[in-house]
Structure formats: C-alpha cells, structure tokens
Amino acid sequence: MNTAIAIAAHPDDIEFYMAGTLLLLKQAGYKIHYMNVANGNCGSVDHSSSKAITVRRKEGQSAARILGATYHESLTNDVEILYDLKLLRRLAAVIREVKPRIVLTHSPRDYMEDHTSTCRLVVTAAFARGMPNFKTSPPRPALDHETTVYHGMPHGLRDQLRRRIVAGLYVNTASVYKTKLAALAAHKSQQNWLDTSQGMNSYLRAMEDASLEVGNLSKKFKHAEGWRRHLHYGFCNERADPLREALGGNCIVNERYEAQLGTTNS
C-alpha cells in the first residue's frame, strides 16, 4: 500500500493547510500519517508549558483519529525547531519507518521560522532516506524508495516579505471539508490563543476563509488546498507526480505556474 505523511510544525497546522489533501489520499487508497514536529507548548495563554503539551497532544491525537491517520509523537518545543543534527536524525528515522511515496509539508517561505525550519528538516530527512551512511535516531535502515515532496501554501498566502505565493497544483477539498473542519475543531485550546496572539477571531472561520480563498484562486473549486512540488533531484523520477496521479479529477494544474517554470510536465 502506498503511504503519505503530513509533517507540520505545530498541532493544528496540518488541519489548516494539508488535511483535505490527506483525506483525499486516504480515499484514494493511501495509508496516511500525521506528525507535528513541535508539541505546542507555547500555544496557550491559559496553561503552563507542561499542561499545554498534555492538552495539545490529546487534541492532536483526536484530530488524527478524525482524519483516520497514524499519529506520530512530536520531537521538540515550540520555537525550538532548529535545523540541527539531533532533530534531523529523529525526523529521518520517521521517514524511513513510514516509507512515504508522498510527503506533505510547509512552504519553504512562510511567516514564521518554525514553519520554514520544519520544511528544511523534512526536505533533508526525505533526501537522506536512501543514504546508508546517514545514521538516524533510532536506527532505521536506508530506503531504496522514491518519494515526492509537496509544499503547502504559507499562512496568508504570502512569504515573509509580503510577496504573494501561488500554487502549482490545486486540490479540490470541498467533499472532505466538513471532516477537515471537525479535525481542526478538535484543537479546542487554540480558540483563545489565536484570538489573543494573532487576531484570528475564530480559528475555524480563519481556516474557512483560507480554504475559500485558495478555491477562488483555482478558478474551479469552492474549497481547495494549494501545493508546489519539490524539485525531483535525489527524491524521485523527473516526471513523478503521485499526488496528481492519485487524486485525478480532484486536481487542477496551474498552467501559468508551470509555464513560468519552463517545464513540460504539466
């Protein structure tokens, strides 16, 4: 069975940016996995760090159950996702264990460093999957296995310098939107935190607004998630696009984006 893993920075990031696509992959026959690199300890104005970790772990596990995904434990605290060898070895072990054909993760450019550092770690961990001399923690054998990495849309659809980011592939998430919303709602502790820290008013409404905005950008779907495919070198065949292959009519390629890349693999 093919597998896919979504790896994000914090509990609720997967639900905001990736869960619809993950659900559609499950419907397409993929075994799906769910991992937040950080444990969410700083995402609270109501709980201590240790209490927040406990609360948000339970919320993440609940969300993963709603999605029908295998849950993987977090590796570090919020704002401590650093591009270092210890985290890289641990994340690479997860990649080798899961053997994903598809890896979903953050945009290389996003509004906060936890997101971009997670992206860098995921890309390197996937790249090192087949290197016998790269040791993981815990030890896992190297993979002789292709994987394709896809980057989601950044928060606000803009990079750190406010520049607009557009997707290369839009995924129609309308049919699974209610389940995606239910998974996000499992993160109940985030309502007050996001209201206070980021002025989102309602985190559920913020996700809906983003979903509708990406759908509008697709010019076809009501609700959508956007993706950009990582360069194939060291990961997979040049023409490999398993996300598009798996989801078929639930995908639409941004032809303008592909044309700007100068590629014929559209």
Side-chain angles (χ1 to χ4, degrees):
M1 177 182 288
N2 286 322
T3 62
I5 186 168
I7 305 177
H10 312 108
D12 80 12
D13 283 342
I14 287 174
E15 290 75 13
F16 263 102
Y17 311 112
M18 312 174 194
T21 300
L22 206 60
L23 284 163
L24 290 171
L25 285 171
K26 182 176 175 62
Q27 291 181 2
Y30 273 67
K31 182 175 175 58
I32 60 173
H33 293 254
Y34 173 109
M35 183 179 187
N36 303 303
V37 176
N39 53 32
N41 74 304
C42 291
S44 177
V45 292
D46 303 309
H47 303 304
S48 67
S49 176
S50 60
K51 178 65 174 178
I53 291 171
T54 299
V55 168
R56 300 199 70 191
R57 179 175 183 267
K58 290 179 180 178
E59 291 174 346
Q61 289 174 325
S62 177
R65 283 193 296 271
I66 291 168
L67 297 173
T70 299
Y71 177 86
H72 294 264
E73 296 290 349
S74 300
L75 303 179
T76 191
N77 291 333
D78 291 359
V79 200
E80 297 179 26
I81 305 177
L82 306 176
Y83 189 81
D84 65 15
L85 188 56
K86 181 180 179 181
L87 270 179
L88 182 57
R89 291 195 191 283
R90 295 176 70 190
L91 192 55
V94 174
I95 294 290
R96 290 184 182 184
E97 177 187 356
V98 171
K99 303 178 179 64
R101 188 178 183 201
I102 292 174
V103 175
L104 307 176
T105 193
H106 287 293
S107 169
R109 295 182 290 170
D110 209 334
Y111 82 116
M112 69 173 303
E113 293 301 310
D114 273 1
H115 289 197
T116 55
S117 294
T118 293
C119 174
R120 291 186 64 203
L121 286 162
V122 169
V123 168
T124 305
F127 189 84
R129 76 198 180 285
M131 298 175 174
N133 292 338
F134 183 78
K135 306 305 179 186
T136 66
S137 178
R140 295 282 185 269
L143 296 179
D144 180 16
H145 177 84
E146 284 196 355
T147 191
T148 305
V149 177
Y150 294 86
H151 299 285
M153 299 299 284
H155 186 66
L157 308 182
R158 295 181 184 276
D159 70 7
Q160 306 97 315
L161 300 178
R162 299 173 288 126
R163 292 171 297 198
R164 191 76 166 177
I165 300 294
V166 298
L169 183 73
Y170 292 100
V171 172
N172 178 14
T173 57
S175 66
V176 294
Y177 177 76
K178 289 184 179 179
T179 306
K180 174 179 174 174
L181 188 67
L184 180 60
H187 298 274
K188 296 178 182 178
S189 68
Q190 292 308 281
Q191 178 62 68
N192 191 30
W193 164 249
L194 292 174
D195 284 357
T196 303
S197 68
Q198 298 177 40
M200 284 192 180
N201 297 320
S202 166
Y203 71 119
L204 300 177
R205 177 59 61 85
M207 188 275 280
E208 180 178 25
D209 290 346
S211 178
L212 291 169
E213 185 174 5
V214 178
N216 183 59
L217 290 172
S218 77
K219 296 182 173 59
K220 182 175 182 181
F221 306 133
K222 180 178 180 181
H223 288 282
E225 291 172 354
W227 299 97
R228 291 181 291 164
R229 181 158 42 96
H230 199 87
L231 189 65
H232 66 282
Y233 296 132
F235 297 95
C236 56
N237 181 277
E238 181 179 3
R239 300 186 67 82
D241 195 353
L243 183 58
R244 185 182 178 195
E245 176 185 318
L247 301 189
N250 275 320
C251 289
I252 185 170
V253 172
N254 182 347
E255 299 289 356
R256 180 175 295 181
Y257 178 88
E258 292 292 331
Q260 290 173 343
L261 297 177
T263 179
T264 57
N265 185 23
S266 58

Short mmCIF file of all heavy atoms in Angstrom, two decimals, residues 6 16 19 22 28 34 43 48 53 70-71 90 100 109 113-114 126 130 141 144 149 168 195 209 243 256 260:
data_model
loop_
_atom_site.label_atom_id
_atom_site.label_comp_id
_atom_site.label_asym_id
_atom_site.label_seq_id
_atom_site.Cartn_x
_atom_site.Cartn_y
_atom_site.Cartn_z
N ALA A 6 1.92 13.77 6.36
CA ALA A 6 1.90 15.21 6.51
C ALA A 6 2.74 15.55 7.73
O ALA A 6 2.48 15.04 8.82
CB ALA A 6 0.48 15.72 6.67
N PHE A 16 -5.07 23.18 9.11
CA PHE A 16 -5.20 24.44 8.36
C PHE A 16 -4.81 24.27 6.89
O PHE A 16 -5.50 24.78 6.00
CB PHE A 16 -4.33 25.52 8.99
CG PHE A 16 -5.05 26.43 9.93
CD1 PHE A 16 -4.94 26.27 11.30
CD2 PHE A 16 -5.87 27.46 9.45
CE1 PHE A 16 -5.61 27.11 12.18
CE2 PHE A 16 -6.54 28.30 10.31
CZ PHE A 16 -6.42 28.12 11.69
N ALA A 19 -4.90 18.95 5.58
CA ALA A 19 -5.76 17.83 5.96
C ALA A 19 -6.70 17.39 4.85
O ALA A 19 -7.01 16.20 4.72
CB ALA A 19 -6.56 18.18 7.22
N LEU A 22 -4.80 15.20 2.56
CA LEU A 22 -4.53 13.94 3.25
C LEU A 22 -5.76 13.04 3.24
O LEU A 22 -5.66 11.82 2.98
CB LEU A 22 -4.09 14.25 4.68
CG LEU A 22 -3.21 13.23 5.40
CD1 LEU A 22 -1.90 12.99 4.65
CD2 LEU A 22 -2.92 13.69 6.82
N ALA A 28 -8.21 7.58 -1.77
CA ALA A 28 -7.58 7.00 -2.97
C ALA A 28 -6.79 5.73 -2.65
O ALA A 28 -6.16 5.16 -3.55
CB ALA A 28 -6.66 8.03 -3.62
N TYR A 34 0.41 11.35 10.30
CA TYR A 34 0.20 12.70 10.81
C TYR A 34 1.28 12.99 11.85
O TYR A 34 1.43 12.25 12.82
CB TYR A 34 -1.19 12.71 11.46
CG TYR A 34 -1.62 13.93 12.22
CD1 TYR A 34 -2.61 14.76 11.69
CD2 TYR A 34 -1.14 14.21 13.49
CE1 TYR A 34 -3.09 15.86 12.42
CE2 TYR A 34 -1.61 15.31 14.21
CZ TYR A 34 -2.57 16.13 13.67
OH TYR A 34 -3.04 17.20 14.38
N GLY A 43 1.68 27.54 22.73
CA GLY A 43 0.42 27.99 22.14
C GLY A 43 -0.70 28.10 23.14
O GLY A 43 -1.80 27.56 22.92
N SER A 48 0.18 26.31 31.74
CA SER A 48 1.63 26.24 31.81
C SER A 48 2.16 25.46 30.62
O SER A 48 1.39 24.80 29.89
CB SER A 48 2.06 25.54 33.10
OG SER A 48 1.67 24.16 33.05
N ILE A 53 1.41 21.10 26.73
CA ILE A 53 1.89 19.92 26.00
C ILE A 53 0.90 18.78 26.11
O ILE A 53 0.54 18.13 25.12
CB ILE A 53 3.28 19.49 26.51
CG1 ILE A 53 4.34 20.52 26.14
CG2 ILE A 53 3.66 18.11 25.96
CD1 ILE A 53 5.68 20.28 26.80
N THR A 70 -2.39 7.72 11.11
CA THR A 70 -1.49 7.25 12.15
C THR A 70 -0.78 8.44 12.77
O THR A 70 -0.17 9.25 12.06
CB THR A 70 -0.46 6.27 11.57
OG1 THR A 70 -1.14 5.13 11.03
CG2 THR A 70 0.52 5.79 12.64
N TYR A 71 -0.84 8.55 14.08
CA TYR A 71 -0.27 9.68 14.81
C TYR A 71 1.18 9.41 15.18
O TYR A 71 1.51 8.33 15.66
CB TYR A 71 -1.09 9.93 16.07
CG TYR A 71 -0.58 11.04 16.97
CD1 TYR A 71 -0.94 12.36 16.74
CD2 TYR A 71 0.27 10.76 18.04
CE1 TYR A 71 -0.50 13.38 17.57
CE2 TYR A 71 0.73 11.77 18.87
CZ TYR A 71 0.34 13.07 18.64
OH TYR A 71 0.80 14.08 19.45
N ARG A 90 16.26 12.29 14.08
CA ARG A 90 14.99 11.76 14.58
C ARG A 90 13.90 11.81 13.51
O ARG A 90 13.10 10.88 13.38
CB ARG A 90 14.57 12.53 15.83
CG ARG A 90 15.52 12.33 17.00
CD ARG A 90 15.14 13.18 18.20
NE ARG A 90 13.91 12.69 18.82
CZ ARG A 90 13.25 13.35 19.76
NH1 ARG A 90 13.67 14.54 20.15
NH2 ARG A 90 12.14 12.84 20.29
N PRO A 100 7.21 6.87 2.90
CA PRO A 100 6.16 7.57 2.17
C PRO A 100 6.46 7.73 0.68
O PRO A 100 7.58 8.04 0.29
CB PRO A 100 6.12 8.94 2.84
CG PRO A 100 7.53 9.15 3.30
CD PRO A 100 8.03 7.79 3.71
N ARG A 109 8.90 29.17 2.24
CA ARG A 109 8.80 30.58 2.66
C ARG A 109 7.47 30.77 3.35
O ARG A 109 6.42 30.52 2.76
CB ARG A 109 8.94 31.51 1.45
CG ARG A 109 10.31 31.45 0.78
CD ARG A 109 10.41 32.42 -0.37
NE ARG A 109 9.58 32.01 -1.50
CZ ARG A 109 9.33 32.77 -2.56
NH1 ARG A 109 9.83 33.99 -2.63
NH2 ARG A 109 8.58 32.32 -3.56
N GLU A 113 9.48 31.14 11.60
CA GLU A 113 10.63 30.26 11.43
C GLU A 113 10.33 28.80 11.75
O GLU A 113 10.94 27.90 11.17
CB GLU A 113 11.80 30.76 12.29
CG GLU A 113 12.38 32.08 11.83
CD GLU A 113 12.89 32.03 10.40
OE1 GLU A 113 13.66 31.11 10.08
OE2 GLU A 113 12.52 32.91 9.62
N ASP A 114 9.42 28.53 12.68
CA ASP A 114 9.09 27.13 12.95
C ASP A 114 8.59 26.43 11.69
O ASP A 114 8.89 25.26 11.45
CB ASP A 114 8.02 27.02 14.05
CG ASP A 114 8.61 27.00 15.45
OD1 ASP A 114 9.85 27.09 15.58
OD2 ASP A 114 7.83 26.91 16.42
N ALA A 126 13.95 13.56 4.03
CA ALA A 126 13.50 12.77 2.88
C ALA A 126 14.65 12.51 1.91
O ALA A 126 14.78 11.42 1.34
CB ALA A 126 12.36 13.48 2.17
N GLY A 130 17.78 7.38 1.63
CA GLY A 130 18.47 6.28 0.97
C GLY A 130 19.97 6.24 1.21
O GLY A 130 20.68 5.51 0.52
N PRO A 141 17.04 1.30 8.74
CA PRO A 141 17.77 1.04 7.50
C PRO A 141 17.41 2.03 6.41
O PRO A 141 16.28 2.54 6.36
CB PRO A 141 17.33 -0.38 7.13
CG PRO A 141 16.02 -0.58 7.82
CD PRO A 141 16.09 0.22 9.08
N ASP A 144 15.40 2.12 -0.34
CA ASP A 144 15.52 2.16 -1.79
C ASP A 144 14.11 2.44 -2.31
O ASP A 144 13.39 1.54 -2.75
CB ASP A 144 16.05 0.83 -2.32
CG ASP A 144 16.18 0.84 -3.85
OD1 ASP A 144 16.17 1.94 -4.44
OD2 ASP A 144 16.28 -0.27 -4.43
N VAL A 149 8.07 15.23 -2.59
CA VAL A 149 7.76 16.21 -1.56
C VAL A 149 6.91 17.33 -2.16
O VAL A 149 7.23 17.87 -3.22
CB VAL A 149 9.05 16.80 -0.94
CG1 VAL A 149 8.72 17.88 0.09
CG2 VAL A 149 9.90 15.69 -0.32
N GLY A 168 1.16 25.59 -7.63
CA GLY A 168 1.33 24.92 -8.91
C GLY A 168 0.25 23.88 -9.16
O GLY A 168 0.00 23.48 -10.29
N ASP A 195 -7.06 33.95 19.05
CA ASP A 195 -7.73 35.25 19.18
C ASP A 195 -6.78 36.28 19.79
O ASP A 195 -6.67 37.42 19.32
CB ASP A 195 -8.95 35.12 20.10
CG ASP A 195 -10.13 34.45 19.42
OD1 ASP A 195 -10.02 34.14 18.23
OD2 ASP A 195 -11.15 34.26 20.09
N ASP A 209 -11.98 30.78 5.60
CA ASP A 209 -11.64 31.89 4.71
C ASP A 209 -10.46 31.53 3.81
O ASP A 209 -10.46 31.82 2.60
CB ASP A 209 -11.31 33.14 5.52
CG ASP A 209 -12.54 33.75 6.19
OD1 ASP A 209 -13.67 33.38 5.82
OD2 ASP A 209 -12.35 34.60 7.09
N LEU A 243 0.80 12.80 -6.36
CA LEU A 243 -0.39 13.46 -5.81
C LEU A 243 -1.43 13.67 -6.91
O LEU A 243 -2.61 13.33 -6.76
CB LEU A 243 0.00 14.79 -5.18
CG LEU A 243 -1.12 15.59 -4.50
CD1 LEU A 243 -1.78 14.77 -3.41
CD2 LEU A 243 -0.57 16.89 -3.94
N ARG A 256 -0.18 28.48 -15.72
CA ARG A 256 0.68 29.66 -15.74
C ARG A 256 1.92 29.43 -14.88
O ARG A 256 3.03 29.79 -15.27
CB ARG A 256 -0.09 30.88 -15.25
CG ARG A 256 0.73 32.16 -15.24
CD ARG A 256 -0.10 33.36 -14.87
NE ARG A 256 -1.12 33.63 -15.89
CZ ARG A 256 -1.97 34.65 -15.82
NH1 ARG A 256 -1.95 35.47 -14.78
NH2 ARG A 256 -2.85 34.84 -16.77
N GLN A 260 5.86 29.25 -16.24
CA GLN A 260 6.94 30.06 -15.69
C GLN A 260 8.16 29.21 -15.29
O GLN A 260 9.27 29.69 -15.31
CB GLN A 260 6.44 30.85 -14.47
CG GLN A 260 5.45 31.96 -14.82
CD GLN A 260 4.85 32.60 -13.60
OE1 GLN A 260 4.90 32.06 -12.49
NE2 GLN A 260 4.26 33.77 -13.79
#
